[in-house]
Each structure stands twice: as C-alpha cells, then as structure tokens.
Amino acid sequence: MDQSLFNTLLLAWIGIAVLILPIATRIAAPYGRHSREGWGPMISNRMGWLIMELPALLTTIILTLAGNADKTNVIFAILGLWVLHYGHRTLIFPFMLKTKGKRMPMSIMFSAIFFNLVNGFFLGYYFGNFADYPDAWFTDPRFIGGLAIFFIGLAINWKADYKLINLRKPGEIGYKIPRGGLFEYISCPNHFGEIIEWAGFALLTWCLPALGFFAWTVANLIPRTLNHHKWYKEKFEDYPEERKAVIPFVL
C-alpha cells in the first residue's frame, strides 16, 4: 500500500470517529456498571477484557517489526511506550478487577476487537513502513514534551484505576462514590488520564495515525465518561454537585 492510499483510508477512519462522538453520548455501552441483557451472548468481564485488548498489543508490534522501514532507536522507544500501556492493560489490569460474576456482551467484545485491530493496523503499518525517526528526534521538543505529557497521563490513569479497584473491600459488590485526588473534581480521572496520555503520544510521534488514535480515544471515552457521570448522579443522592465529568472545571 502506498502512503497516499494509506492516508486516505486513515482520514476516512478519523472522519468516522468525529461522526460517532455525538451519537455515542446517547448510548451507554452495555458493559461495566452499564452492563445489561439484550445485547446477545455474554462472557465474563475479565476474559472479555483480555481478549478485546490483546489485538491492540499484538497488531502494532507485529506490523511495526514486519515493515520495510528502518527500525531506529526511536521506533523501539515508541513501541516500548505502547507495550507499557497495553501490556499492563491486557495482561495485568484484567486480573486486578474485582468483578467476580460480572459479564459483558460478546458483541461489545467483538466491536472492541475491531476497533483495536484497525487502530493497531494504522499505527503499526505506519511505524513499520513510512516512519522516519532519526536518533535526533529524541532531542526534539515535540518528543520531549509529548513524552512528559504521556507519563503524566499514564500516572493519572493508573492511580485512578487502582483507587476504583480498591474501593470495594473483600466480599463487597456494590458501588461507592470515589473520593480524593482528581476524583474531587471529575467523575472519571482514569479516562481523563488516558486522553492526556494519547495526546502526548500523538505529540511525541508527530504523525497522522497517532492523531487518529487520539481522536478515537476521545470519541470512545468522552461519551463513556458522560454516561458514568450521569449514572453517578442518578444513583447517589449525595453525589457532589460541583464535580464535572472528565475535564476539571470544564466538562
């Protein structure tokens, strides 16, 4: 595939993300706290999560290494960041969840697999065939600034995820109002952190596929967060009124 066709397909994929964003705010994807019947066969939360995230981890790595472009030190550093996030997300995070007995529709799992395969293809094919990152890129302000933003987002994401996981004591199955840190300002710091993380990734790689991945992250997480925020306010009468959904003081 030449780069012109690649870019055309990628721009179309980004366009779909832009179109989906307003639609997705009206439909709460039926997994996690929004899980419900009527979406087809179900699978355990933990297994579904592992299966749907694995393509993101593998596809980008395989296509990057299989491509014809030179595999520079910068490429390996970028892959390392990808593995840091998706290795944790795929092989560690699902086994930390205290979701015994909870299930998700397989239709959601398969849609996530498709999403991860397409995004993994665009990133992996670009890094494997079109990317040109000399070692001097390590000192470029875009790489340095993007790397800092990436790790800030990663830290926010992981810290919020761990707090949510540990809200329940052994044997508890209900939901609680999370408090402390960024939870005092927004309902979903974990989503906020992931958005920041992939904004940093787009900056440090300075390429269209990473920008596309950031666009799809926003299209996926902003509606999810708004639905979470609405759910919290409906479930808990004492939910803090001053909290925003995903961006402190703004949204």
Side-chain angles (χ1 to χ4, degrees):
M1 183 188 305
D2 63 34
Q3 193 161 4
S4 177
L5 176 58
F6 177 86
N7 288 341
T8 299
L9 294 174
L10 179 54
L11 288 171
W13 179 240
I14 295 172
I16 295 172
V18 174
L19 293 175
I20 281 179
L21 177 57
I23 298 172
T25 58
R26 303 178 184 179
I27 304 172
Y31 66 95
R33 71 198 63 192
H34 306 289
S35 184
R36 55 192 182 273
E37 301 290 338
W39 287 72
M42 307 284 280
I43 188 172
S44 74
N45 245 22
R46 182 173 289 118
M47 184 58 64
W49 193 280
L50 188 154
I51 293 172
M52 72 186 189
E53 297 291 353
L54 189 59
L57 176 64
L58 296 181
T59 304
T60 302
I61 296 173
I62 291 170
L63 290 178
T64 298
L65 297 179
N68 296 320
D70 291 338
K71 307 305 180 288
T72 64
N73 291 325
V74 177
I75 288 291
F76 285 115
I78 289 170
L79 272 185
L81 297 175
W82 186 261
V83 171
L84 178 63
H85 176 92
Y86 272 105
H88 176 272
R89 180 68 59 169
T90 305
L91 304 175
I92 298 175
F93 179 75
F95 300 98
M96 298 172 60
L97 296 174
K98 299 174 182 177
T99 56
K100 184 178 180 180
K102 290 193 174 183
R103 302 171 71 78
M104 71 166 66
M106 292 182 69
S107 57
I108 293 298
M109 181 189 74
F110 285 121
S111 66
I113 289 172
F114 174 76
F115 166 84
N116 285 327
L117 283 173
V118 175
N119 281 304
F121 164 77
F122 281 122
L123 287 163
Y125 198 87
Y126 175 83
F127 293 139
N129 294 279
F130 305 132
D132 180 18
Y133 294 109
D135 284 353
W137 186 251
F138 282 127
T139 60
D140 190 286
R142 289 166 291 185
F143 182 87
I144 296 170
L147 189 66
I149 293 169
F150 178 90
F151 277 110
I152 290 170
L154 184 74
I156 292 171
N157 176 251
W158 283 9
K159 183 175 181 180
D161 274 343
Y162 295 156
K163 180 177 282 289
L164 288 172
I165 289 169
N166 291 308
L167 276 180
R168 294 190 184 102
K169 296 179 181 178
E172 290 184 334
I173 58 174
Y175 286 91
K176 299 179 180 180
I177 299 175
R179 300 186 185 277
L182 279 175
F183 281 106
E184 296 300 321
Y185 302 95
I186 52 179
S187 293
C188 299
N190 51 331
H191 294 170
F192 176 58
E194 190 161 353
I195 290 169
I196 291 174
E197 185 181 348
W198 295 120
F201 189 78
L203 178 60
L204 72 90
T205 58
W206 201 253
C207 67
L208 189 59
L211 179 62
F213 186 69
F214 171 70
W216 271 100
T217 299
V218 170
N220 179 38
L221 293 184
I222 292 292
R224 184 74 175 166
T225 301
L226 294 175
N227 285 318
H228 277 13
H229 187 64
K230 179 181 177 183
W231 180 90
Y232 274 125
K233 294 175 73 174
E234 291 174 348
K235 185 172 180 64
F236 298 101
E237 292 183 359
D238 59 339
Y239 196 71
E241 285 293 330
E242 67 277 8
R243 278 191 199 180
K244 297 297 184 180
V246 65
I247 303 176
F249 312 111
V250 178
L251 179 63

